[in-house]
Amino acid sequence: MNAAEARTLAVEASRALAAAGQGDMVWGHVAVRDPEGRGIWIKAPGWGLEEVTGDRLQLVSFDAGVLAGEGTAHKECPIHLEILRARPDLVCTVHTHAASAVAFAALDTALLPLSHEGALFGGQDVPRFAATGGLVSTPELGRALAAALGDAPAALMPKHGLVAAGASVPAAVMHAVLLDRACRTQLTALAAGPVRVWSDAAEAHAKRAECWPAGQLEAGWRYLVRRAAARDRT
């Protein structure tokens, strides 16, 4: 991947998240690691995910300086900078205020593998970031969030939103989408009564491998990119 490809992926990822229903007016963002090691490609503040274009991107250094693009850096750039600094294997990070994730996190209950999406965590509960419910606007909070995420595909940020990460852009976007869908499924079940049926640890672990290999994450990503493109044509 070169810098031009990273820029294209940052645009596609933003629009794919919007197509998946994770937009929140001008808030939320996705970052793609610059392949030249200069920092991250991320949308400039003030734009919705569905509005992102190549000229609305910034290149932000690991010390939060804007190297290319207009305006100041997002206050929450430390989310992406510190996770990617801590995990050199990762290429992309996502932060959104996905509604079902926010609502589910308020219940302070374990995320169960009720569905294929819930099996993303292999029968384990989703990590939660508890240091603050406010903005992650300092390197210290960014490092705490990176520690809470660990090597999980995504984490809940109670009173705030979610964070997701991946060794590819499709993986990071799909991890965010799948976490929100898993939260929505469990919220729906809880609204109808006590949850009684879910995969045990062995089945959930097997389902994670079967349902969410790289190829399936890529297929879901391609669908969202196509959906975003179709929306642009209407």
Side-chain angles (χ1 to χ4, degrees):
M1 179 170 64
N2 58 36
E5 291 167 335
R7 288 169 57 89
T8 297
L9 285 168
V11 172
E12 290 182 334
S14 299
R15 290 176 168 268
L17 286 163
Q22 295 212 16
D24 179 21
M25 298 179 67
V26 298
W27 300 288
H29 21 78
V30 54
V32 177
R33 187 190 295 274
D34 177 63
E36 298 177 17
R38 296 172 294 177
I40 57 173
W41 291 99
I42 186 171
K43 75 178 180 69
W47 299 104
L49 291 170
E50 74 281 3
E51 296 179 305
V52 177
T53 58
D55 60 356
R56 292 171 181 169
L57 293 176
Q58 294 175 329
L59 174 61
V60 178
S61 71
F62 279 101
D63 61 2
V66 177
L67 304 179
E70 298 182 356
T72 58
H74 277 285
K75 290 181 180 180
E76 290 197 302
C77 271
I79 290 175
H80 308 282
L81 296 171
E82 297 306 325
I83 292 173
L84 292 172
R85 194 197 307 273
R87 293 280 306 280
D89 57 307
L90 297 176
V91 169
C92 181
T93 46
V94 171
H95 169 57
T96 70
H97 304 150
S100 294
V102 174
F104 180 79
L107 300 180
D108 195 25
T109 190
L111 183 67
L112 300 172
L114 306 186
S115 62
H116 293 340
E117 295 91 345
L120 176 66
F121 297 92
Q124 302 296 312
D125 190 14
V126 60
R128 288 164 170 79
F129 172 65
T132 182
L135 298 183
V136 180
S137 57
T138 67
E140 293 76 17
L141 285 171
R143 288 191 289 270
L145 176 56
L149 174 65
D151 61 359
L156 291 171
M157 302 168 68
K159 300 171 284 184
H160 188 162
L162 65 78
V163 65
S168 69
V169 176
V173 169
M174 287 298 295
H175 291 161
V177 171
L178 294 171
L179 173 56
D180 190 50
R181 287 168 62 98
C183 290
R184 187 180 312 130
T185 296
Q186 191 160 337
L187 286 169
T188 302
L190 287 168
V195 177
R196 303 186 188 280
V197 179
W198 60 88
S199 294
D200 62 21
E203 183 175 70
H205 186 77
K207 284 183 67 175
R208 178 175 63 183
E210 182 178 28
C211 296
W212 306 123
Q216 286 295 91
L217 296 175
E218 177 77 24
W221 153 264
R222 288 197 301 268
Y223 165 76
L224 290 173
V225 171
R226 291 195 303 271
R227 185 173 175 184
R231 288 173 54 169
D232 287 345
R233 291 194 294 269
T234 60

